[in-house]
Amino acid sequence: MSENTSSSQATRRPDGTHRVVITGMGAITPAGVGVRALWGTLMARRSCIGPITKFDTEGYDVHIAAEIRDFDATEHGLTKKEARRFERFVQYAIVASDEAMAQAGLDREAEDATRIACVFGSGIGGIDELQSGFTTLLEKGPKRVSPLFIPTMIGNIAAGNLSIRYGLKGECLNVVTACATGAHCIGAAVRDIRHGYIDAALAGGTEESVSPICIAG
């Protein structure tokens, strides 16, 4: 048996499909920035739900949420221009992915970028930008709506920006299945690797739906 054959068998399951491993993780959660903050909070059994501070909830039926508090993207690798242009759900995706990519230690220069996918979803996308855009349209007219409205709020812009940031040239997908979005994206990436469509994937989900319209709805 050749060395290549042995290596190939070591990376396959009994049914012949490829084995899949997680090599890096990243997280932005109400517990804080990073996987360690999330894990520590879980182990301490601490709740991150509290009064909403982002906006005044007087007149609303809901007054509590699991907010991501005191987050400044420029403190975690984004430029001021990126922080201004990207909606919060994109900022979260980038910071969490930077952590995961660093942990994975993937040498992208040595890999075939066309075999690395980005499967990163958002159930709602840029809801703040959507609400702001509607307000601007109604109050100031169509000429005052930002020309970047669509590429700022559309749900798959997180996956798009991640692919650009890391030079990933494989499939770029945004699976949207409500609260299951992140898990569904990871599952889709696992299946694609398992069946040989890709060699690796950046997979996960991102959301920021603590907003007046979501709380009202």
Side-chain angles (χ1 to χ4, degrees):
M1 183 181 294
S2 69
E3 183 178 343
N4 289 339
T5 301
S6 299
S7 177
S8 176
Q9 288 185 343
T11 62
R12 291 183 182 272
R13 296 166 8 125
D15 63 2
T17 57
H18 295 279
R19 297 183 185 278
V20 183
V21 296
I22 297 171
T23 57
M25 297 184 294
I28 302 293
T29 71
V33 177
V35 172
R36 181 172 294 182
L38 173 59
W39 187 249
T41 299
L42 290 173
M43 291 297 97
R45 300 179 183 179
R46 179 167 60 87
S47 173
C48 295
I49 297 173
I52 294 173
T53 61
K54 184 184 171 188
F55 55 90
D56 186 2
T57 61
E58 184 177 356
Y60 290 79
D61 290 333
V62 176
H63 304 281
I64 60 173
E67 288 184 301
I68 296 176
R69 304 173 188 270
D70 304 319
F71 177 80
D72 183 348
T74 61
E75 296 179 356
H76 302 284
L78 273 73
T79 66
K80 291 183 178 180
K81 180 179 180 181
E82 289 173 330
R84 287 194 306 270
R85 176 169 293 185
F86 295 155
E87 267 281 65
R88 287 179 298 156
F89 81 107
V90 176
Q91 295 179 27
Y92 298 158
I94 290 174
V95 175
S97 296
D98 280 352
E99 180 185 14
M101 293 293 280
Q103 191 179 112
L106 180 67
D107 183 358
R108 299 193 300 276
E109 295 295 326
E111 301 293 335
D112 181 357
T114 65
R115 299 278 301 169
I116 305 177
C118 182
V119 188
F120 219 97
S122 181
I124 294 178
I127 192 69
D128 287 343
E129 181 68 15
L130 181 63
Q131 182 173 336
S132 174
F134 276 132
T135 301
T136 300
L137 175 64
L138 293 173
E139 294 181 353
K140 301 179 180 180
K143 293 187 182 297
R144 296 297 298 275
V145 175
S146 170
L148 296 176
F149 172 70
I150 295 297
T152 299
M153 57 75 57
I154 197 168
N156 68 331
I157 201 63
N161 277 308
L162 292 173
S163 292
I164 293 169
R165 186 176 185 86
Y166 308 118
L168 311 181
K169 299 179 181 179
E171 61 184 356
C172 180
L173 299 178
N174 170 38
V175 179
V176 181
T177 48
C179 294
T181 291
H184 198 158
C185 287
I186 293 170
V190 167
R191 284 191 295 272
D192 281 352
I193 296 172
R194 181 166 290 165
H195 294 289
Y197 300 125
I198 57 176
D199 295 331
L202 173 61
T206 181
E207 201 75 89
E208 177 49 271
S209 55
V210 181
S211 67
I213 190 64
C214 287
I215 297 302

